[in-house]
Amino acid sequence: MKMIVAPLLRIFFRPWIEGEENIPTEGAAIIASNHLSFSDSFFFPALIKRRVTFIAKAEYFTTPGIKGRLTAAFFKGVGQLPVDRSGVRGAGEAAIRSAIAVLDRGELFGVYPEGTRSPDGKLYRGKVGGLARVALATGAPVIPVAMIDTEKVQPPGQVVPNFGTRPGIRIGRPLDFSRYHGMENDRFILRSVTDEVMYEIMRLSGQEYVDIYATAAKRQLADDKKKADAVQKAEQAAAKAEKAEADKLEKAEQEKAEQEQQKDTGPA
């Protein structure tokens, strides 16, 4: 990642970084980033000096086929942790334990508090749980990070990246939540910690903030698209029926005109 991917990213995309001095040269810290694109998992880990272990959705490790095996090999190779996002509590607890183990080794642990990629470039509500619980359990500082324009480099669903956009990374100052140590089971504290981190990410990224979860926004967008498609289909059907009726009337008028013409030209 550092020796091969990073130089290629610098050559083809010329990414910029601000605030790299806010990442400690040693010791544990939590990297909390917005999530705009699949390419976020390339740009940030490749371009900073230290290794970052991010949580990645379990599908990246279990998808069948050649593409799935290559994706799994990549994420395993860069030390990513699979997490089951299906809502199974045991899977979430296992991910938290893995994150704590990473920090106990004095390493950097990365997390996307939104839980999934933004569907439209906006910043969505951070999920209570992993980020705040790990921060309070370990006492590790949280470093807010804003990925800039990576969704323009590789929009959701697009495999081949666009080479005309220069993405960026803006790194904020570490946030200290030691005042809440030992309160990782208080949901109100967890929400307060998460919201403070999301506010810093919003300030760094300049994104519009939406106080709902990104997963809910995706469902709403999917429902809106489904309704729009249904309306468009109904309009197309109505237009087709209207055209058919107009053609029928036109044909009837034409036949009537032909009959009238035959009467006019008939024998006296």
Side-chain angles (χ1 to χ4, degrees):
M1 176 70 91
K2 305 289 188 187
M3 296 171 59
I4 300 176
V5 177
L8 291 176
L9 293 179
R10 288 192 175 95
I11 291 171
F12 289 107
F13 298 100
R14 300 182 300 111
W16 53 267
I17 303 179
E18 291 180 4
E20 191 173 4
E21 68 279 2
N22 290 320
I23 297 179
T25 56
E26 59 182 18
I30 300 170
I31 306 296
S33 173
N34 60 341
H35 197 12
L36 298 172
S37 168
F38 177 77
S39 61
D40 295 337
S41 299
F42 289 81
F43 281 103
F44 189 83
L47 297 177
I48 69 166
K49 295 177 182 178
R50 294 184 62 185
R51 172 174 168 170
V52 185
T53 298
F54 269 90
I55 277 182
K57 63 181 181 180
E59 291 88 335
Y60 288 150
F61 297 83
T62 58
T63 303
I66 296 176
K67 180 183 176 182
R69 288 196 294 270
L70 291 174
T71 301
F74 167 77
F75 280 100
K76 290 177 182 177
V78 296
Q80 306 305 286
L81 301 174
V83 60
D84 187 341
R85 303 190 303 176
S86 63
V88 181
R89 182 173 177 80
E93 294 295 331
I96 289 173
R97 289 195 298 270
S98 297
I100 292 174
V102 170
L103 294 167
D104 285 344
R105 295 195 298 266
E107 300 174 4
L108 298 179
F109 169 71
V111 62
Y112 299 117
E114 293 168 279
T116 187
R117 282 174 288 180
S118 170
D120 53 11
K122 298 176 183 178
L123 184 67
Y124 286 87
R125 195 181 196 197
K127 289 192 172 184
V128 170
L131 166 64
R133 285 183 60 190
V134 171
L136 299 187
T138 62
V142 179
I143 301 173
V145 170
M147 304 300 295
I148 310 293
D149 289 338
T150 51
E151 82 283 7
K152 296 177 182 177
V153 172
Q154 190 177 23
Q158 181 172 313
V159 177
V160 179
N162 301 319
F163 293 96
T165 299
R166 189 183 181 195
I169 303 171
R170 187 172 289 125
I171 304 168
R173 294 181 178 179
L175 302 175
D176 179 14
F177 296 107
S178 59
R179 62 190 182 279
Y180 298 130
H181 183 66
M183 303 175 72
E184 57 267 22
N185 293 320
D186 187 323
R187 188 166 183 83
F188 293 101
I189 295 297
L190 296 180
R191 169 48 61 192
S192 177
V193 169
T194 305
D195 287 347
E196 185 174 339
V197 173
M198 298 309 296
Y199 175 81
E200 288 300 316
I201 294 175
M202 179 189 69
R203 188 180 62 80
L204 292 167
S205 67
Q207 291 171 275
E208 178 184 345
Y209 179 75
V210 184
D211 195 25
I212 62 173
Y213 294 120
T215 49
K218 284 185 175 182
R219 286 195 298 270
Q220 185 61 54
L221 289 172
D223 290 342
D224 291 345
K225 185 179 185 304
K226 188 181 294 185
K227 291 177 182 177
D229 290 344
V231 170
Q232 183 181 20
K233 187 175 181 181
E235 289 176 346
Q236 289 175 346
K240 186 177 180 180
E242 185 177 349
K243 185 178 184 303
E245 184 64 23
D247 291 344
K248 183 178 178 181
L249 291 174
E250 183 181 357
K251 184 177 180 181
E253 291 291 335
Q254 185 177 359
E255 290 176 350
K256 184 178 179 181
E258 290 176 352
Q259 290 174 0
E260 293 292 335
Q261 185 178 10
Q262 289 177 357
K263 288 181 181 179
D264 292 340
T265 58

